[in-house]
Amino acid sequence: MTSSHAPAAAAMVACLAAALCLSTGCSTYANRVAKVRNAFYQGNLPAAAKLVDESLAKGGGEADVLRLESAMIQLASGRPRDAEQSLRLVRDHFDHLDQTNVAESALAALTDDKRRAYAGEDYEKVLIRALLAVSSLMHDGTDAEAYSLQMIETQERIINGGSDRRGDNPKLKYQRVALAPYLRGVLREETHLDYDDAARSFASVVSWRPEFLAGKLDVERATHGRHSEPGHGVLYLFAFTGRGPFKEESAEVVSSASLLVAGEIISAVGKQTVPPNIAPVKVPRIRSRANPVQGVALSINGQTRGFTETLTDVSLMARQQCDALLTRTVARAVARRVVKMGIVYTGKEAAGLAKNDVANLAFDVAGIAWQATESADTRCWGLLPDKIQVLRLELPEGDHDVSLIPVSSSRHTIGPPARQRIRIDNGRNTYALAMFPGEKVVGQVLVSGGPARR
């Protein structure tokens, strides 16, 4: 290396080293959140809450997803009001982050997507409103209908705003969340007046989720204007079953091969060489786990009265959205790699290097290392369920001792029952929530207004 090249080469390598340091910011996130999830699934909610609090105290770019995990822990622990506050905080922050941050985009181009403030996946933005509505129902219900309307508005805004400069809109493939109109229909029907609104909402449920067999019964009942028989009320059991979707790093082989070829062409015809694209292009992909809990049976006095049905398949929705946007995600990763190739190429030009100059080696080594530090952004809301299910059951007013029993697809019992006493009021709705990420319930069975006194 000549003396005239040394300062420029040293400066370039120093810049690359700084970029390498920046790209390691979220490397321990997956490990920390895995411990939280394991504690939650084992039913150790105090340990899960402590782990979240410790991670939040350290700061970093995963604060919002940790607050989402905290909300699920609070809800399972019987603290729906706290869960609602946590969810509102993240909802408002995600809405703010929807505005493009030019500085963050530039920094992400030099490192990877983990440098961006996490603004939530589209399915997470909708499900935040879903969990807000459920949390509200579990204490006073004041804002439940407003949250259900927000769900509908948010998913429409996301889908309608998905067009790129060419007019292509992959978000038109998104599955709409039937839970949104369902909750609105449930709340409208309870007024004993707004049956037309309830029937229209339930019709949307049938359109968006035709597999939900109870939907047709809901439409029929609301159309004829009957919430419940005199002296009866309605129990709505919401069951969160299975372990929800998570992100896993995936190497896009085709894109990596294309970049390798492109790099070789540039090196062959250009004035400078570029580092060989050895490191694969990494993007996040949505994965899901097998769900043994295909439903929850509700039993009263040893008699099974019904089974929950899936209203929202969370894992399927997340995978579909990931697949719909995969081309854009890969394109962003490829563009980032091209930017890095360009910086190395420009640095060699600025240093006045020739192709056969020994100083090329320093640039290429740093460039290869720069590529290798890229990793996919796997931040996500990890304690979501696999499925959100519901059962509507009309019962006589009074107190009822119920058992909630996890069942398989063939409706065989696969775990111990969770028991709760529930009060039914004449002409009113009562809401219950149980979380079955596996064969055993986690935390409490929540009941709106609290469980009936024994």
Side-chain angles (χ1 to χ4, degrees), residues 37-38 40-43 239-244 289-296 383-387 389 404-408 412-418 434-443:
R37 294 169 188 168
N38 288 338
F40 180 86
Y41 295 141
Q42 292 168 7
F240 292 176
T241 69
R243 303 181 183 188
R289 309 168 180 86
N291 182 359
V293 185
Q294 292 300 300
V296 175
L383 289 181
L384 282 171
D386 176 53
K387 293 179 175 65
Q389 301 186 326
L404 309 180
I405 307 163
V407 297
S408 65
H412 291 142
T413 299
I414 59 173
M435 297 189 185
F436 281 93
E439 291 83 355
K440 295 181 180 180
V441 71
V442 164

Side-chain angles (χ1 to χ4, degrees), residues 169-180:
N169 187 358
K171 297 186 180 184
L172 293 174
K173 300 177 182 177
Y174 280 10
Q175 167 194 334
R176 284 171 168 79
V177 181
L179 178 62

Side-chain angles (χ1 to χ4, degrees), residues 16-211:
L16 294 178
L20 299 182
C21 293
L22 284 171
S23 64
T24 60
C26 300
S27 59
T28 60
Y29 169 73
N31 292 334
R32 288 203 299 271
V33 81
K35 295 178 182 178
V36 173
R37 294 169 188 168
N38 288 338
F40 180 86
Y41 295 141
Q42 292 168 7
N44 192 344
L45 299 181
K50 182 180 179 182
L51 287 166
V52 169
D53 290 343
E54 289 174 352
S55 294
L56 280 170
K58 296 175 183 177
E62 64 266 19
D64 282 330
V65 284
L66 286 168
R67 292 189 184 99
L68 292 175
E69 312 291 25
S70 180
M72 297 299 287
I73 297 167
Q74 291 163 342
L75 198 54
S77 300
R79 296 157 50 201
R81 194 180 300 273
D82 291 340
E84 186 178 354
Q85 291 176 350
S86 297
L87 291 164
R88 284 174 66 101
L89 180 64
V90 179
R91 178 202 63 184
D92 294 345
H93 195 207
F94 278 0
D95 287 348
H96 173 72
L97 289 173
D98 275 342
Q99 305 168 26
T100 302
N101 187 318
V102 177
E104 280 191 353
S105 297
L107 185 57
L110 292 175
T111 54
D112 54 34
D113 279 350
K114 298 195 306 297
R115 300 308 304 175
R116 296 175 183 267
Y118 187 71
E121 298 293 344
D122 289 339
Y123 71 90
E124 292 172 333
K125 294 173 185 176
V126 174
L127 291 175
I128 284 174
R129 275 82 176 173
L131 269 294
L132 277 167
V134 172
S135 297
S136 178
L137 288 176
M138 288 305 119
H139 59 91
D140 59 13
T142 303
D143 296 318
E145 186 168 3
Y147 292 138
S148 67
L149 287 171
Q150 286 180 24
M151 262 192 289
I152 297 171
E153 293 166 357
T154 298
Q155 64 185 353
E156 292 305 315
R157 173 175 53 80
I158 288 171
I159 292 170
N160 293 333
S163 297
D164 59 20
R165 294 178 181 177
R166 296 176 298 179
D168 296 331
N169 187 358
K171 297 186 180 184
L172 293 174
K173 300 177 182 177
Y174 280 10
Q175 167 194 334
R176 284 171 168 79
V177 181
L179 178 62
Y182 184 81
L183 288 177
R184 177 162 169 74
V186 165
L187 293 167
R188 290 292 85 205
E189 189 180 20
E190 191 186 22
T191 67
H192 296 262
L193 297 172
D194 300 326
Y195 287 112
D196 288 345
D197 285 347
R200 283 192 292 270
S201 295
F202 290 138
S204 293
V205 173
V206 173
S207 174
W208 294 354
R209 181 76 185 179
E211 304 94 330

Side-chain angles (χ1 to χ4, degrees), residues 301-355:
N301 297 325
Q303 180 183 2
T304 299
R305 301 293 301 274
F307 299 87
T308 57
E309 285 187 73
T310 299
L311 188 56
T312 298
D313 190 325
V314 176
S315 294
L316 177 61
M317 178 171 63
R319 289 197 306 271
Q320 287 178 338
Q321 292 189 10
C322 177
D323 291 344
L325 298 181
L326 181 61
T327 300
R328 289 184 179 180
T329 304
V330 172
R332 190 167 61 246
V334 169
R336 180 167 53 244
R337 186 67 62 83
V338 171
V339 167
K340 293 179 179 180
M341 289 168 57
I343 289 173
V344 174
Y345 190 98
T346 303
K348 291 183 178 182
E349 284 282 280
L353 299 180
K355 280 188 175 182

Side-chain angles (χ1 to χ4, degrees), residues 235 250 254 440:
L235 170 64
S250 174
V254 174
K440 295 181 180 180

Side-chain angles (χ1 to χ4, degrees), residues 254-277:
V254 174
S255 298
S256 301
S258 298
L259 277 172
L260 178 60
V261 172
E264 291 302 310
I265 293 173
I266 293 172
S267 296
V269 303
K271 294 180 180 180
Q272 303 292 341
T273 60
V274 292
N277 277 280

